[in-house]
Amino acid sequence: MTFNKKQRYRFSEAPIWNIQRKYYEEEGTKAWNNDQVPQYITSNPMIATSYAEMIFGFLQDRANKENSSEPVMIVELGAGAGRLAFHVLSELCQLRDYAGTSLPSFCYIMTDLAINNVLAWREHPALQSFIAEGLLDFAQFDAVHDTVLNLVVSGTTISEGDLKQPLVIVANYFFDSIPQELIYVGDGRIYEADVFVEYPEHHGSLKPSELLDQISLHYEHRWAPEYEQETYPYRDVIVIYQEQLEDSHILFPVAGITCLERLNRLSQAAGFLLITADKGDHLLDNWKFAEPPELILHGSFSLTANYHAIGHVFERRGAMALFPPHHYKNINVGCILNMDKPQDYFNTRLAYRRCIERFGPDEFFSLKIGVDRNLDNMGLQQILSFWRLGGYDAEFFIQSTKRISSLLPDANDEEMQDILRGIQLMWSSYYVMEQRYDLALDAGLLLFEMEMYEDSKRFLEISMNQEQGEIISTVFYCLAVCCFELELYEDALRYVRKLLELEPDHEEALALLNQFELG
């Protein structure tokens, strides 16, 4: 590969960030097709339930405080495909209804840089009930520059000081994907690690994902005395790095911190609860002797989020930062209570302890990796237990149907009923992505094998009615049998005839037709 146009940039001003923006603006919700940009780890029902529990705890903590009659705004930064918001809202509403206690009202605001994503959420069928109830709104938001939230549904603008309640901020895989400074600590001095970017030939014709894959980055240190001056706004954390680190490259999240500061000013209460998950390190030791960063490519790219800096900055201002006491493996989930007397928010803190510290999304994902590898050796009770732990997630069901089917001959009635209940709960909280999958077909065929004909008929007809392409003959055959068993003979005959149109020599269909004619 031949490279040309070698140029030097400050890391936060390098062209990779504009390429990243262009990628998301062009792809919209298609960016998450085939998990090109990872979404499962941060958007599955289990992590959403953990978030809903913490938000519910926060609403409980706010119930008897000043301005408790005002709604609490929950702002998700970089809401992406929208799946996390849907699951959080679904669980939060269930907690609210189940508890039946007096709580502040709330409104979830999904935001993203890409306007195409905002427009797609506005029309998504799964979100319409939340919109109608006044629980959901949307805004295009540039985390690097914007200072207000222009809401799409209500048509209102939230500006500095407009809110009376503290803000809840949700930031999943967010801080690792927005511009960061890159500094180097050596001999007690602070340097900027500038980046040299080399482009491939004819790079103007490449798509953003192709360009990110082919550009080359090289780093060179430049002494940066501004970080060592007392006037530098985050001087306290820089001093820690100077005193305790050596020969270390540090991604410094100025854009992330200033974004939180701007959002903080939207509230008269001048406070926020941040719930965040990322590939991010909150332990100082993990930044010792750190090498220059490498772009983790997945259509776009991501880096490591510096939770140590974010937590330290706000803790110096009186906040309480909660991160797991153990080392994370796949995803680090943190909670920052940036408000007056954060220790008083005991319901929020208890929810974090219960849903993150004790067993959280990181542990769940580690288990899932093991389950995926051993699924063909698992028993039905093990599969059902993990499915239940994951909140009856559709993705796990899709990959498990073949194994479940093989175990049905030995399943008892109770296990059959639990499978049916799981399918019903899964369907009630299913969020259709841009890349569609015929979940109803899988559910209907499995229920047919279980001889649950009424439920099988329901799902197979959903599949048939939503299928845009050619309907497979098996669907008509199963529907014919379901209708026959349910004594819906006219419907059964109709499905038999549709099947014979596709396969005139289908023996089972001919036998069924013969039964009708004899009857």
Side-chain angles (χ1 to χ4, degrees), residues 39-53 83-92 94-95 172 355 360-361 364 368 386-397 422 425-431:
Q39 57 83 26
Y40 177 84
I41 189 171
T42 56
S43 300
N44 62 74
M46 193 276 175
I47 191 173
T49 296
S50 301
Y51 281 26
E53 290 276 2
R83 188 180 176 207
L84 176 71
F86 170 74
H87 286 309
V88 170
L89 267 174
S90 298
E91 184 64 25
L92 188 57
Q94 289 182 50
L95 289 170
N172 267 19
C355 299
F364 172 76
K368 187 177 185 302
F386 188 78
W387 192 27
R388 191 176 302 119
L389 177 65
Y392 296 103
D393 176 54
E395 290 192 29
F396 181 67
F397 175 78
L425 289 170
M426 172 188 68
W427 187 257
S428 69
S429 61
Y430 180 47
Y431 185 83

Side-chain angles (χ1 to χ4, degrees), residues 393-402 426 430 437 439 442:
D393 176 54
E395 290 192 29
F396 181 67
F397 175 78
I398 290 166
Q399 72 185 79
S400 305
T401 49
K402 184 178 178 180
M426 172 188 68
Y430 180 47
Y437 183 88
L439 181 66
D442 274 3

Side-chain angles (χ1 to χ4, degrees), residues 1-2 36 48 109 126 138 174 192-193 200 203 248 260 278 292 318 322 326 344 348 375 386 426 472 474 497 502:
M1 183 183 297
T2 303
Q36 182 174 255
I109 303 171
F138 316 97
F174 171 76
E192 288 251 23
H203 65 273
S248 303
L260 293 174
D278 224 316
L322 304 176
H326 51 272
D344 289 352
T348 310
L375 185 59
F386 188 78
M426 172 188 68
I472 60 174
T474 305
R497 287 171 175 160
L502 293 176

Side-chain angles (χ1 to χ4, degrees), residues 324-519:
H326 51 272
H327 295 84
Y328 82 98
K329 177 63 177 176
N330 302 288
I331 186 171
N332 196 4
V333 183
C335 170
I336 296 179
L337 284 153
N338 180 56
M339 55 197 76
D340 187 42
K341 297 181 180 178
Q343 66 275 10
D344 289 352
Y345 288 77
F346 63 90
N347 285 301
T348 310
R349 294 188 292 108
L350 284 171
Y352 183 85
R353 181 179 184 273
R354 183 173 64 248
C355 299
I356 307 299
E357 275 192 24
R358 184 174 177 273
F359 179 89
D362 186 43
E363 288 76 18
F364 172 76
F365 192 75
S366 293
L367 279 181
K368 187 177 185 302
I369 292 172
V371 167
D372 291 347
R373 291 171 180 164
N374 295 282
L375 185 59
D376 289 341
N377 298 315
M378 289 175 63
L380 190 54
Q381 277 300 320
Q382 294 170 313
I383 292 172
L384 289 174
S385 296
F386 188 78
W387 192 27
R388 191 176 302 119
L389 177 65
Y392 296 103
D393 176 54
E395 290 192 29
F396 181 67
F397 175 78
I398 290 166
Q399 72 185 79
S400 305
T401 49
K402 184 178 178 180
R403 178 59 179 166
I404 294 172
S405 175
S406 72
L407 296 170
L408 287 180
D410 297 320
N412 58 42
D413 289 343
E414 289 82 5
E415 289 169 331
M416 297 275 202
Q417 287 298 319
D418 285 346
I419 293 172
L420 172 61
R421 179 176 181 271
I423 288 173
Q424 291 170 335
L425 289 170
M426 172 188 68
W427 187 257
S428 69
S429 61
Y430 180 47
Y431 185 83
V432 177
M433 303 278 283
E434 175 75 26
Q435 184 180 18
R436 296 175 182 272
Y437 183 88
D438 197 346
L439 181 66
L441 177 62
D442 274 3
L445 292 176
L446 194 63
L447 290 165
F448 181 81
E449 289 186 66
M450 295 160 58
E451 298 182 358
M452 293 182 171
Y453 296 117
E454 185 173 356
D455 294 293
S456 175
K457 176 177 178 291
R458 175 196 167 205
F459 281 101
L460 290 175
E461 287 182 335
I462 290 172
S463 169
M464 185 179 66
N465 291 330
Q466 69 184 13
E467 181 58 45
Q468 301 298 316
E470 185 178 337
I471 300 170
I472 60 174
S473 58
T474 305
V475 172
F476 290 128
Y477 174 73
C478 292
L479 280 168
V481 173
C482 288
C483 292
F484 184 80
E485 293 291 341
L486 295 169
E487 300 182 0
L488 301 171
Y489 299 121
E490 288 187 10
D491 290 337
L493 184 58
R494 177 163 50 87
Y495 285 126
V496 167
R497 287 171 175 160
K498 286 185 176 181
L499 172 54
L500 288 172
E501 288 176 11
L502 293 176
E503 297 186 31
D505 299 325
H506 195 288
E507 292 184 7
E508 290 88 349
L510 291 169
L512 278 173
L513 184 61
N514 187 50
Q515 281 185 267
F516 285 121
E517 291 173 344
L518 290 174

Side-chain angles (χ1 to χ4, degrees), residues 140-348:
Q140 184 181 22
F141 184 73
D142 183 339
V144 179
H145 303 293
D146 288 347
T147 58
V148 301
L149 293 168
N150 295 307
L151 304 187
V152 171
V153 177
S154 66
T156 60
T157 297
I158 301 176
S159 304
E160 183 173 337
D162 283 350
L163 304 178
K164 296 181 180 179
Q165 292 270 33
L167 201 63
V168 176
I169 303 170
V170 176
N172 267 19
Y173 269 33
F174 171 76
F175 293 112
D176 69 344
S177 301
I178 62 173
Q180 303 185 61
E181 310 302 329
L182 179 59
I183 61 175
Y184 172 78
V185 181
D187 299 323
R189 307 295 294 272
I190 300 295
Y191 300 82
E192 288 251 23
D194 290 341
V195 60
F196 286 89
V197 179
E198 292 183 87
Y199 296 88
E201 278 196 69
H202 313 298
H203 65 273
S205 62
L206 297 176
K207 295 180 179 179
S209 58
E210 296 170 332
L211 183 54
L212 287 171
D213 186 47
Q214 295 183 38
I215 60 176
S216 179
L217 306 181
H218 305 281
Y219 300 94
E220 186 173 296
H221 302 152
R222 168 178 52 81
W223 182 46
E226 62 271 22
Y227 287 93
E228 301 176 13
Q229 296 173 359
E230 293 301 322
T231 55
Y232 185 68
Y234 313 116
R235 175 65 183 150
D236 291 337
V237 69
I238 293 295
V239 168
I240 293 174
Y241 296 157
Q242 282 182 277
E243 293 177 349
Q244 300 188 38
L245 298 182
E246 178 63 33
D247 190 21
S248 303
H249 294 83
I250 304 160
L251 288 160
F252 199 73
V254 172
I257 294 170
T258 55
C259 175
L260 293 174
E261 291 171 336
R262 279 181 275 117
L263 289 172
N264 187 57
R265 290 193 286 270
L266 297 179
S267 170
Q268 295 176 17
F272 63 76
L273 164 68
L274 171 66
I275 302 173
T276 180
D278 224 316
K279 303 189 307 308
D281 286 322
H282 65 282
L283 300 173
L284 183 63
D285 283 352
N286 290 344
W287 294 98
K288 288 183 176 178
F289 304 110
E291 297 290 331
E294 294 184 8
L295 304 186
I296 307 301
L297 298 174
H298 33 64
S300 58
F301 72 89
S302 59
L303 299 165
T304 299
N306 188 343
Y307 280 145
H308 174 269
I310 295 172
H312 184 84
V313 165
F314 288 101
E315 279 185 313
R316 291 282 296 183
R317 301 173 185 178
M320 179 182 292
L322 304 176
F323 283 92
H326 51 272
H327 295 84
Y328 82 98
K329 177 63 177 176
N330 302 288
I331 186 171
N332 196 4
V333 183
C335 170
I336 296 179
L337 284 153
N338 180 56
M339 55 197 76
D340 187 42
K341 297 181 180 178
Q343 66 275 10
D344 289 352
Y345 288 77
F346 63 90
N347 285 301
T348 310

